[in-house]
Amino acid sequence: AKFSFISDFHLTPGSKGVLLNFMDQLSRKATPLTLVIEFINPKYQNWINDYISGKSNISSMPEEIKEDWDADFNPYKLILKNAKEQGIRVLALDTRQPSQRARDKAVAAEMIHDVEKNPNMRYLSFAGDFHFYGQGHIPDLLKEAGYNSQAILLNMPPYHYFRALRQNTNARQHKYY
C-alpha cells in the first residue's frame, strides 16, 4: 500500500511496539519509507532531519518537543531511534490546529504535497486513533485526492475498534487488520 496507518492509543505503551514491528518489516522493502508522526511539531523538522542523518543525537532533542506532548515521551524517543537505525525518513506533522478536523485536513494536505515531491515513497502514518477512522479524516481525505492504496491498522481497545467500524459509512473501502 502507498499509505499505511497505525493508530496510537497514546496512553498504551504497547501501541508503540506494534509500530516498531511494522517499521522493521516495511523498511526491508526496496521502496523508500517515510514515517509520518503526529507527536512532533513541524517546526522541529530540521532537528529530526539532523538526528536521522547522524548530525545530532537524541540528547540534543529540544526540551519543547517533550513538553508539547501530553504522554510519556520515552516510547516516542524509541520510535525516532528505530527510524534512524533503519534509515527511515521522518516527517513531523503535528499541526496544532484548533480542531481535529482542521488538523486532519492540514496533515492530509502536507502528505499530498510530500507525495507529489516524492512519488516513489511509501508512507507509514502514526497518529492518534481518531485521526484514521470515519468520514473526513486523513485516509478519507487522501482517498478524495485520488490516493486509494491504503491499509489501516486500528491499534486500539475493542470498544473503540467497533465504534470506528460503525462510524465508517463504507467500511468495505478500508482494510482493517
Side-chain angles (χ1 to χ4, degrees):
K2 180 79 170 167
F3 296 99
S4 298
F5 306 93
I6 297 180
S7 65
D8 179 19
F9 197 67
H10 299 311
L11 300 177
T12 306
S15 69
K16 285 55 157 186
V18 171
L19 173 68
L20 294 172
N21 185 34
F22 269 81
M23 288 171 65
D24 181 52
Q25 291 176 31
L26 293 174
S27 70
R28 295 179 194 176
K29 307 266 184 195
T31 309
L33 178 66
T34 292
L35 175 64
V36 179
I37 54 175
E38 170 195 23
F39 56 90
I40 298 179
N41 190 294
K43 69 182 178 182
Y44 300 110
Q45 187 66 52
N46 288 336
W47 179 85
I48 291 171
N49 295 344
D50 287 347
Y51 173 70
I52 297 297
S53 69
K55 294 178 185 172
S56 65
N57 57 44
I58 202 78
S59 63
S60 70
M61 177 187 291
E63 282 299 313
E64 295 85 10
I65 291 175
K66 295 175 257 182
E67 292 168 4
D68 277 353
W69 199 241
D70 295 335
D72 177 16
F73 202 80
N74 287 321
Y76 297 97
K77 279 187 192 177
L78 186 58
I79 292 166
L80 293 173
K81 286 180 183 179
N82 196 340
K84 180 179 180 175
E85 290 169 4
Q86 295 180 21
I88 297 172
R89 180 174 168 249
V90 176
L91 188 58
L93 292 182
D94 182 2
T95 62
R96 297 294 175 179
Q97 296 291 325
S99 70
Q100 185 170 334
R101 288 270 188 221
R103 289 175 85 178
D104 290 351
K105 284 182 180 180
V107 168
E110 286 298 321
M111 289 177 76
I112 291 165
H113 178 72
D114 196 80
V115 78
E116 289 169 352
K117 293 188 303 186
N118 302 288
N120 295 323
M121 187 69 65
R122 288 172 303 132
Y123 294 83
L124 174 59
S125 186
F126 187 64
D129 49 348
F130 291 105
H131 294 284
F132 296 146
Y133 62 83
Q135 286 185 313
H137 294 290
I138 297 169
D140 284 339
L141 295 168
L142 292 171
K143 185 174 186 227
E144 287 173 12
Y147 297 102
N148 294 322
S149 179
Q150 303 178 6
I152 303 172
L153 176 93
L154 295 176
N155 182 24
M156 62 180 78
Y159 166 79
H160 294 293
Y161 171 79
F162 289 108
R163 183 173 164 213
L165 282 177
R166 283 193 307 273
Q167 286 186 353
N168 191 332
T169 58
N170 189 355
R172 286 175 282 152
Q173 292 177 359
H174 302 289
K175 297 175 186 172
Y176 293 95
Y177 298 94

